[in-house]
Amino acid sequence: MTAKSKPQRVALHSVLRAGHIDGYRQDHARVPDDLAEAYQQVGIYEWEIWRSGLHIFHLVTCDDFDAAMKALETHPANDAWMASIGVHIDRFEGPDGEGLIPSEPLWTLMGQLGTSQRKV
């Protein structure tokens, strides 16, 4: 990332196969170290994942999502991970006709309140 550019945040949505919640959860307790290192090498800073039922929501913070995905296409750590984790995934869903694009930030509670920490 250059000093002038802001990181991209890309939202992804995947759907698990029925009966695969526990396996997916177990496999994501910790991804392989070589994969985590590969993400950093291609400019991915954070990858957050949440689950609601069979729906999995990802938020990826990176320099350039398309470039990162292209660099990972032939990376051995990513190949091994996709072969392993792919058994749990039924499909990926993207915005209608848009493909996978950087998400547009609209609002945050902390941003509105001018805080960066949770108040108890």
Side-chain angles (χ1 to χ4, degrees):
M1 181 172 71
T2 66
K4 295 180 183 179
S5 65
K6 290 185 177 182
Q8 290 183 341
R9 295 178 87 191
V10 178
L12 308 172
H13 175 202
S14 55
V15 180
L16 295 176
R17 297 177 196 273
H20 283 257
I21 292 171
D22 290 338
Y24 186 87
R25 185 185 291 124
Q26 181 179 356
D27 287 349
H28 269 92
R30 181 176 176 91
V31 301
D33 289 336
D34 59 344
L35 181 64
E37 291 170 14
Y39 286 168
Q40 289 184 320
Q41 290 169 1
V42 300
I44 295 174
Y45 310 120
E46 180 63 284
W47 193 311
E48 301 173 66
I49 301 174
W50 299 272
R51 182 184 69 82
S52 181
L54 293 176
H55 295 265
I56 304 296
F57 301 94
H58 313 248
L59 184 59
V60 182
T61 305
C62 58
D63 287 332
D64 180 330
F65 184 76
D66 290 334
M69 293 299 102
K70 183 154 183 67
L72 289 170
E73 280 179 4
T74 58
H75 196 288
N78 192 58
D79 289 344
W81 179 246
M82 289 294 114
S84 170
I85 204 67
V87 301
H88 304 300
I89 306 297
D90 180 49
R91 67 188 180 279
F92 276 90
E93 295 184 351
D96 293 338
E98 294 182 27
L100 302 175
I101 59 173
S103 57
E104 176 188 2
L106 297 175
W107 178 85
T108 67
L109 178 60
M110 286 188 213
Q112 179 172 324
L113 298 176
T115 63
S116 61
Q117 295 183 359
R118 179 178 164 196
K119 294 182 179 181
V120 180

